């Protein structure tokens, strides 16, 4: 069984032997810069390979190059905390430990170097101190190796341990969105731009299209190398050098990343959950801070939600306004550093890129994002669905969750089967939220019945407009309410509560009979409702309700211009017009007027009604039967 690729990173104080240790393990000198060789000091990231599976990232230990250290540590799977036996634990030992914890690194081993410079008693004292310092960290109870890069003592034991090392099982990278944070950019004569980095998720292949983030530049991977050898494909936790087309060296830099096109967004506003280390100073609202995320470094101002300041050891939801746009993924971890003095003071986790600004007093939003922070993968997907205003499609979900469609689908299927979410059209909705909308529909119909007691139901368009519900959702929920026998569908696309019936008073029954008789007597000449109001000496809104009742009983129809005609008369008009058009193919308004034996004033509303119901078709001056 092939073991998974592995990125091992060093950490520790300056001059504790990190570079010498990797040289002993691999035979590769990771100090590549001229200045590094002159000063005998690691300044930037260095890279080496133990074999085709395991790569090393060597980081600088000097406090002036902490940000380079973070850039390297951000992509490692396993940490080697290197501590010199003659110095023991030093300031950057502690700071590097904080940084690795902030970045979510959770596996590692301690290597005590330079044992040739101390005696056994001193070495045991150093071991004891190291164990005390690393207590309650991910190094606690982990292996401690003692080595000398000068004599080679202990190197083989460490090499064998690392060669057989298998990190805890991770997600299948082939199902993930591709991301490679850039740590080096250079030009190769005859090939063009080359970038190097660690594949932190997904896979990349030759000829694959990738996007440079931040920004919208689409590039193609011409060729790639792994561990300095040509390859067709690089997978999660492998170092890769990509020769990319359509981009110049000055268009991409450390801090950018290459990723699956159109699956990440860029913004200078991030919503996060942040915390301070127990020994940090108070951080004030809107303080300027450094943010190290991925291989990039940024400056910004931090705004706490619901707090004026953040005390040591505390955490909260905050938004950070950065001095430039960044791209990142959901749950990406970062390091917070103060500007002056430049020290590591805390860390955080990204919950959202871009979006609306949250005011300090909006503590409900803080609670909402804290719930997202504490959610597992499945619950966070549900959170995104529940908190989308008008549903969310699969593409939007991939962007918000930084997960691919393949990763999302099992969770979505499971939640659908559990009736926590539902798919309508091409969007997903929370069942809990839809239940609230269903309650709103029922409340609205019930209120409509109270205020319009003579109407059999409420029109579909009115429901849609008044409640501002998307058509697909409204149709889905109305169908669901009908299946539950809570709502019934009437003619004319109207809806009523299942047990609702119109009940007329004795007086209303008398007026209805008189109204209907008058409308019937008018025959093919519709009556103006305002004229009926004068005859019956009743407010027009009350008369309208009674006429609508007749319409619901299929005894009358309201035409344009507030004209009302009996169903019987309208059906006769429709039959006569249909017969005439069947024989003559087309007709002017004047011909129909003479056919019906009425005036133009009444003929046009009748024809317009027949057009609206799809019986006739108007083209210019003529009417045709609609085929």
């Amino acid at each position: 069984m092939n073991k998974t690729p592995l990125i091992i990173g060093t950490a520790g104080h300056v001059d504790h032997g990190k570079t010498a240790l990797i040289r002993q393990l691999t035979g590769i000198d990771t100090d590549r810069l001229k200045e590094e060789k002159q000063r005998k000091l690691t300044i930037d990231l260095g890279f080496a390979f133990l074999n085709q599976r395991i790569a090393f990232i060597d980081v600088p230990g000097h406090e002036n190059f902490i940000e380079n250290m973070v850039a390297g540590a951000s992509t490692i799977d396993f940490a080697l905390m290197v501590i010199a036996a003659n110095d023991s634990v030093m300031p950057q030992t502690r700071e590097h430990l904080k940084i690795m914890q902030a970045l979510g690194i959770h596996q590692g081993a301690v290597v005590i170097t330079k044992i040739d410079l101390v005696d056994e008693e001193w070495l045991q004292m150093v071991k004891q101190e190291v164990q005390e310092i690393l207590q309650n960290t991910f190094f606690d109870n982990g292996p401690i190796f003692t080595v000398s890069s000068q004599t080679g003592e202990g190197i083989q034991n460490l090499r064998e341990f690392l060669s057989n090392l298998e990190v805890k099982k991770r997600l299948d990278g082939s199902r993930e969105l591709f991301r490679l944070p850039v740590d080096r950019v250079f030009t190769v004569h005859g090939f063009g731009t080359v970038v190097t980095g660690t594949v932190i998720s997904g896979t990349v292949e030759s000829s694959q299209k990738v996007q440079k983030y931040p920004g919208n530049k689409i590039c193609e991977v011409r060729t790639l190398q792994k561990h300095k050898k040509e390859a067709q494909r690089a997978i999660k936790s492998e170092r890769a050098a990509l020769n990319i087309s359509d981009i110049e060296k000055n268009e991409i830099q450390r801090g950018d990343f290459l990723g699956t096109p159109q699956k990440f967004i860029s913004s200078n506003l991030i919503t996060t959950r942040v915390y301070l280390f127990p020994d940090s100073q108070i951080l004030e609202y809107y303080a300027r801070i450094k943010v190290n995320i991925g291989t990039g470094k940024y400056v910004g101002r931090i705004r706490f939600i619901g707090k004026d300041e953040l005390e040591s050891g505390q955490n909260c939801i905050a938004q950070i306004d950065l001095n430039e746009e960044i791209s990142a993924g959901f749950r990406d971890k970062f390091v917070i550093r103060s500007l002056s003095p430049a020290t590591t003071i805390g860390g955080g986790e990204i919950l959202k890129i871009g979006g609306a600004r949250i005011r300090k007093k909006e503590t409900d939003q803080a609670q909402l994002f804290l719930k997202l922070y504490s959610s597992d993968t499945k619950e966070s997907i549900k959170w995104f669905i529940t908190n989308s205003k008008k549903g969310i499609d699969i593409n939007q979900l991939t962007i918000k969750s930084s997960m691919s469609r393949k990763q999302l689908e099992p969770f979505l299927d499971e939640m659908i089967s559990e009736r926590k979410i539902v798919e309508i059209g091409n969007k997903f909705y929370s069942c809990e939220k839809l239940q609230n909308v269903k309650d709103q529909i029922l409340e609205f119909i019930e209120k409509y019945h109270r205020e319009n007691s003579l109407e059999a139901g409420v029109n579909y368009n009115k429901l849609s407009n008044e409640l501002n519900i998307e058509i697909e959702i409204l149709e889905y929920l109305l169908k669901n309410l009908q299946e539950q026998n809570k709502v019934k569908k009437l003619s004319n696309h109207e809806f009523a509560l299942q047990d609702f019936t119109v009940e007329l008073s004795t007086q209303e029954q008398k007026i209805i009979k008189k109204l209907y008789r008058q409308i019937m007597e008018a025959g093919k000449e519709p009556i103006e409702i305002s004229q009926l109001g004068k005859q019956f000496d009743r407010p027009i809104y009350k008369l309208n309700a009674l006429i609508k009742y007749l319409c619901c009983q299929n005894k009358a129809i309201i035409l344009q211009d507030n004209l009302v005609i009996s169903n019987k008369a309208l059906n006769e008009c429709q039959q006569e017009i249909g017969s005439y058009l069947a024989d003559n193919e087309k007709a002017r308004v004047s011909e129909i007027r003479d056919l019906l034996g009425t005036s133009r004033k009444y003929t046009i509303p009748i024809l317009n009604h027949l057009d609206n119901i799809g019986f006739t078709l108007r083209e210019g001056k003529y009417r045709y039967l609609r085929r």
Side-chain angles (χ1 to χ4, degrees):
M1 179 179 174
N2 292 329
K3 293 183 178 180
T4 56
L6 184 63
I7 304 292
I8 299 174
T10 60
H13 197 76
V14 62
D15 199 32
H16 275 208
K18 297 183 291 297
T19 303
L21 175 65
I22 290 181
R23 186 166 54 242
Q24 272 283 1
L25 288 168
T26 66
I28 298 170
D29 185 0
T30 55
D31 281 345
R32 54 190 169 80
L33 302 178
K34 182 179 179 181
E35 186 182 358
E36 290 177 317
K37 294 186 182 299
Q38 288 175 343
R39 297 173 61 181
K40 295 184 178 180
L41 175 72
T42 300
I43 296 171
D44 203 358
L45 303 179
F47 308 95
F49 308 98
L50 184 64
N51 50 43
Q52 283 302 300
R53 184 177 77 92
I54 296 174
F56 286 98
I57 298 179
D58 186 29
V59 304
H62 197 283
E63 61 181 330
N64 291 346
F65 308 113
I66 280 291
E67 288 170 348
N68 288 343
M69 179 271 169
V70 180
S74 66
T75 63
I76 69 173
D77 302 305
F78 189 90
L80 288 182
M81 178 60 81
V82 179
I83 301 171
N86 58 329
D87 279 344
S88 191
V89 174
M90 296 290 281
Q92 261 54 63
T93 311
R94 298 175 186 274
E95 188 167 16
H96 284 201
L97 176 61
K98 290 179 181 178
I99 288 168
M100 289 188 291
Q101 289 179 303
L103 293 175
I105 299 167
H106 58 274
Q107 294 180 82
V110 175
V111 182
I112 298 176
T113 59
K114 302 187 180 184
I115 60 172
D116 55 299
L117 300 181
V118 300
D119 58 29
E120 184 61 28
E121 184 179 353
W122 181 268
L123 181 60
Q124 292 305 316
M125 286 174 55
V126 170
K127 272 188 178 182
Q128 185 175 347
E129 183 181 13
V130 167
Q131 287 172 331
E132 290 173 359
I133 294 295
L134 299 182
Q135 198 170 15
N136 299 321
T137 73
F138 66 92
F139 288 108
D140 198 6
N141 298 319
I144 297 178
F145 294 90
T146 56
V147 303
S148 168
S149 296
Q150 289 297 316
T151 66
E153 183 181 349
I155 293 293
Q156 184 57 29
N157 285 341
L158 178 59
R159 185 184 291 113
E160 288 178 3
F161 169 78
L162 296 176
S163 297
N164 294 311
L165 185 62
E166 180 72 11
V167 296
K168 290 179 181 177
K169 188 177 181 181
R170 295 166 294 184
L171 290 171
D172 177 10
S174 65
R175 298 174 61 84
E176 300 172 341
L177 298 174
F178 164 65
R179 272 208 292 168
L180 179 143
V182 174
D183 50 41
R184 281 196 299 165
V185 183
F186 52 90
T187 302
V188 175
H189 182 69
F191 289 90
T193 305
V194 175
V195 301
T196 71
T198 302
V199 180
I200 61 170
S201 64
T203 63
V204 62
E205 298 180 358
S206 295
S207 303
Q208 181 175 321
K209 297 287 185 184
V210 295
Q211 184 171 336
K212 176 256 178 186
Y213 295 94
N216 53 13
K217 190 83 172 180
I218 303 293
C219 319
E220 183 176 314
V221 179
R222 287 173 173 158
T223 57
L224 68 85
Q225 286 189 348
K226 294 190 303 187
H227 300 206
K228 297 186 177 182
K229 291 186 178 180
E230 295 288 333
Q232 287 298 311
R233 182 172 179 256
I235 65 175
K236 185 175 180 178
S237 293
E238 286 188 325
R239 292 286 306 170
L242 309 182
N243 174 213
I244 51 177
S245 64
D246 306 316
I247 193 166
E248 300 298 322
K249 178 186 173 184
N250 61 0
E251 294 181 278
I252 189 167
Q253 61 187 345
R254 178 180 290 181
D256 297 338
F257 71 84
L258 297 177
T260 305
Q262 300 178 343
K263 294 300 181 185
F264 301 91
I265 58 175
S266 304
S267 177
N268 59 0
L269 175 67
I270 55 176
T271 304
T272 69
R273 185 261 191 186
V274 297
Y275 60 89
L276 294 183
F277 294 128
D279 57 353
S280 297
Q281 296 295 314
I282 289 174
L283 189 61
E284 295 182 350
Y285 186 90
Y286 212 54
R288 293 183 75 225
I289 57 170
K290 287 184 178 181
V291 175
N292 293 89
I293 181 166
T295 56
K297 51 186 178 181
Y298 310 90
V299 174
R301 289 191 180 273
I302 188 164
R303 295 181 289 105
F304 311 119
I305 312 304
K307 286 180 176 288
D308 293 319
E309 60 186 19
L310 195 64
E311 296 181 6
S312 60
Q314 287 187 338
N315 67 78
C316 74
I317 296 298
Q319 286 192 315
I320 303 175
D321 299 301
L322 298 162
N323 61 345
E324 59 185 295
E325 283 197 341
I326 70 165
S327 286
F330 174 57
R331 292 202 186 281
D332 279 3
K333 291 180 169 57
F334 57 87
V335 173
I336 297 175
R337 307 193 77 232
S338 58
L339 267 67
S340 181
T343 56
T344 304
I345 58 174
E349 186 170 306
I350 287 184
L351 301 175
K352 186 178 183 181
I353 295 276
R357 298 172 75 85
I358 304 173
R359 292 175 295 175
K360 187 199 295 186
K361 64 182 181 181
E362 293 183 273
T363 54
D364 57 330
Q365 289 294 305
Q367 291 302 314
L368 200 61
F369 276 101
L370 273 175
K371 187 175 180 181
L372 174 61
Y373 168 76
S374 60
S375 297
D376 60 18
T377 302
K378 180 179 169 182
E379 285 300 311
S380 65
I381 295 168
K382 183 173 177 283
W383 190 97
F384 290 125
I385 295 170
T386 302
N387 291 283
S388 59
K389 290 183 179 179
K390 293 191 174 181
I392 186 168
D393 62 31
I394 192 77
N395 187 56
Q396 292 171 315
L397 262 179
T398 62
I399 292 171
K400 288 182 179 293
S401 67
S402 301
M403 296 173 69
S404 70
R405 178 188 288 263
K406 284 183 178 179
Q407 285 177 282
L408 286 168
E409 283 174 344
F411 292 108
L412 294 171
D413 291 342
E414 186 177 345
M415 284 188 283
I416 287 172
S417 67
E418 293 171 347
R419 297 186 178 179
K420 291 181 178 178
I421 64 169
V422 64
E423 186 176 10
I424 304 172
N426 64 342
K427 290 183 177 181
F428 296 94
Y429 299 84
S430 158
C431 288
E432 181 182 349
K433 202 167 183 178
L434 287 183
Q435 182 59 51
N436 293 335
V437 179
K438 278 167 67 174
D439 293 341
Q440 289 176 34
I441 293 172
L442 291 171
E443 287 172 12
F444 182 83
I445 296 175
E446 184 181 15
K447 182 182 177 185
Y448 192 86
H449 287 331
R450 286 199 308 270
E451 296 174 354
N452 304 273
S453 59
L454 295 182
E455 293 184 35
V458 56
N459 183 269
Y460 173 85
N461 291 332
K462 189 171 186 66
L463 266 174
S464 177
N465 294 334
E466 294 288 334
L467 294 174
N468 192 27
I469 303 172
E470 292 174 273
I471 291 174
E472 283 185 333
I473 300 303
L474 182 57
E475 289 180 350
Y476 173 86
L477 293 179
L478 285 172
K479 183 180 178 183
N480 187 255
L481 286 167
Q482 290 173 72
E483 291 170 351
Q484 294 176 343
N485 291 322
K486 292 183 178 180
V487 165
K488 57 187 174 185
K489 184 176 182 180
L490 310 174
S491 60
N492 299 324
H493 217 35
E494 291 184 338
F495 294 86
L497 297 181
Q498 187 68 32
D499 57 356
F500 177 77
T501 55
V502 176
E503 295 181 0
L504 298 174
S505 67
T506 304
Q507 182 65 18
E508 287 168 339
Q509 289 175 13
K510 289 178 180 179
I511 295 172
I512 285 284
K513 286 180 181 178
K514 290 179 182 179
L515 268 176
Y516 184 54
R517 185 163 56 246
Q518 193 119 0
I519 294 168
M520 285 290 291
E521 287 172 356
K524 297 174 185 175
E525 294 193 350
I527 305 176
E528 292 184 24
I529 294 175
S530 58
Q531 292 301 317
L532 284 170
K534 292 176 183 178
Q535 293 178 36
F536 285 91
D537 191 26
R538 297 184 73 79
I540 197 68
Y541 74 92
K542 288 191 175 181
L543 195 68
N544 270 327
L546 294 170
I547 292 172
K548 284 183 179 179
Y549 174 79
L550 284 174
C551 293
C552 290
Q553 301 298 311
N554 293 322
K555 291 182 177 180
I557 290 177
I558 298 174
L559 305 176
Q560 70 183 57
D561 301 327
N562 276 325
L563 297 171
V564 62
I565 188 172
S566 70
N567 270 36
K568 182 176 182 296
L570 187 63
N571 287 336
E572 289 173 0
C573 292
Q574 183 173 340
Q575 289 174 9
E576 289 179 35
I577 293 169
S579 297
Y580 185 85
L581 291 177
D583 294 337
N584 297 280
E585 187 180 352
K586 62 183 180 180
R588 293 171 179 266
V589 172
S590 58
E591 294 175 68
I592 303 296
R593 176 199 63 198
D594 295 342
L595 174 70
L596 299 179
T598 185
S599 69
R600 183 182 179 87
K601 174 183 176 181
Y602 300 129
T603 303
I604 289 176
I606 291 171
L607 283 172
N608 286 344
H609 173 79
L610 295 178
D611 292 342
N612 290 335
I613 66 172
F615 182 73
T616 53
L617 173 68
R618 179 183 177 183
E619 289 186 1
K621 297 178 180 179
Y622 295 97
R623 288 303 201 289
Y624 299 82
L625 278 179
R626 191 182 290 270
R627 303 292 180 186

